[in-house]
Amino acid sequence: PTWLIGLDYTPADDILLYAKYARGYRAGAIASDVTAPFNYIDPEKVDTYELGSKLTFHEGIGGIFNVAVFFNDFENKQLQLGFNDNPADNIAVVPTAAPVNAGSSEIYGAELEVAITPFDGFTLEGGYTWLQTEITEMPVFTVPPSSPYVITGAQQEGDELALSPENK
């Protein structure tokens, strides 16, 4: 099951303070183009926590100022793993890639969003995200001796998640 539990507090009409906790998942899968034990991928689960505020102002110059901090805790993280032809077995196979369950990872950071409207019809907007990621648990992947593949591209415990820029 998934859910969202949130608490909102509005100390004034133009101020929202909030906290939320959510559970999410990514469905499992079957990868028919790779051999066991990599052909079955368990569902990925994530617990997310977020604290933030949203402010709107109208006096003189209008605009918004939003800020949030967050933490995401993943279990059974699905990461892409490469399967290349094993040149030692004399069996030619097409290289492929498939998701695997990589253990766990964490993502945490902060977001800032600002918009200023000095006059009707003109708005300046900006945003910034600071992000930290880490694989906190990663099994060692090995193929059975009879497999026509060798594994490539395996990330390791302590590595950052791919395609997760620190500053955006």
Side-chain angles (χ1 to χ4, degrees), residues 130-144:
W130 172 75
L131 189 64
Q132 294 293 302
T133 67
E134 181 181 3
I135 297 172
T136 55
E137 180 186 336
M138 181 70 131
V140 175
F141 296 105
T142 57
V143 294

